[in-house]
Amino acid sequence: MTKRQPSQPMPVAVLLSGTGRTLDNLLARIESDRLPIRIARVISSHAGVRGLQIAADAGIDHRVVAPGDYRSVEQYSRAVFESCREVAARLVVMAGFIRFVRIPSDFDGRVVNIHPSLIPAFCGKGYYGSRVHRAVLEYGVKLTGCTVHFVDNQYDHGPIIMQQAVPVLDGDTAERLAARVFEAECQLYPAAIAAIAANRVHIEDRWVRIDPVPNAAPEETS
Ligand code: GRF
C-alpha cells in the first residue's frame, strides 16, 4: 500500500447491504477523532436500506450497485471496484456486505471484512447474520467472537488481522449473543482499520504482522 502522510486521513469505500450499524460505529469513531479515515463513498448492494440513509445523513457520497443489474459475479465485481477506484479508495471496508465479489489484483490486500465468529469456526458460505450465532449455540462451544480479516476470493478465508473472543453464557439466545459479539466488533474493527491507516499492518503469506503503536503503552481498542 502506498505510504501517506500521517496527517491525511485514508480514503475508504464502505460496502454494505443492510442496517449500517457498522457504518454508524465507524462514523462515530471518525467524529471523535479516533479513526483517521475519510469515508469517500458508501456502496450498497441493495436499494432503500438504512445504511444508505446513514450515509446520506452524514453527507457521504453513496450509491447502489445491485447484483441484479449484472450478468455475472465478474461483471458485478468489476462495477463495485470501479466505483471504489473513482473515489481513489485506498481501503475497501465491508460492513455487513452479504454479496460475494471477486477481488481484482489492484485491491489485493486492500479489502477488509468483519465476521461475527472466530474464523475458521462458523464461517464460509451461508454463515451470516443470526445463522452464525444459532450455529454457535447448537454446537455448544463456550467461546465465540469476531474476526477482522483481509478478503480474498474465498468466503471468510483471507489472512486474519485481529480477533476478539466473546464467551458464550448459560441461557444465551442468538439475539443476546449477537448483541455481545457486535459490541466487541465495535471495538475491534476500528482498531484494525486504524492500524492499517497507520501503515502498521503487514501481510506475510497467511500471517498478518502488526507493528506496535510507536511510543505507546499496550494498545487500547476502545
Ligand atoms: C455483523 O454481524 C458483522 O459481523 C457482519 O455484518 C453484521 C453487521 O451488519 N459483517 P450491519 O453493519 O448491521 O449492517
Side-chain angles (χ1 to χ4, degrees), residues 18-22 95-96 113-116 182 185:
T19 63
R21 292 173 307 157
T22 308
N113 181 44
I114 188 158
H115 181 77
F182 189 72
E185 291 186 26

Side-chain angles (χ1 to χ4, degrees), residues 16-24 50 94-98 113-117 128-129 133 146 181-182 185 189:
L16 55 78
S17 301
T19 63
R21 292 173 307 157
T22 308
L23 172 63
D24 234 349
R50 182 174 163 266
M94 293 187 172
F97 184 69
I98 60 170
N113 181 44
I114 188 158
H115 181 77
S117 77
Y128 59 86
H133 307 293
C146 49
V181 170
F182 189 72
E185 291 186 26
Y189 214 7

Side-chain angles (χ1 to χ4, degrees), residues 14-18 20 23 42-46 49 51-52 95-98:
V14 171
L15 308 187
L16 55 78
S17 301
L23 172 63
V42 168
I43 300 167
S44 175
S45 58
H46 293 70
V49 295
L52 284 169
F97 184 69
I98 60 170

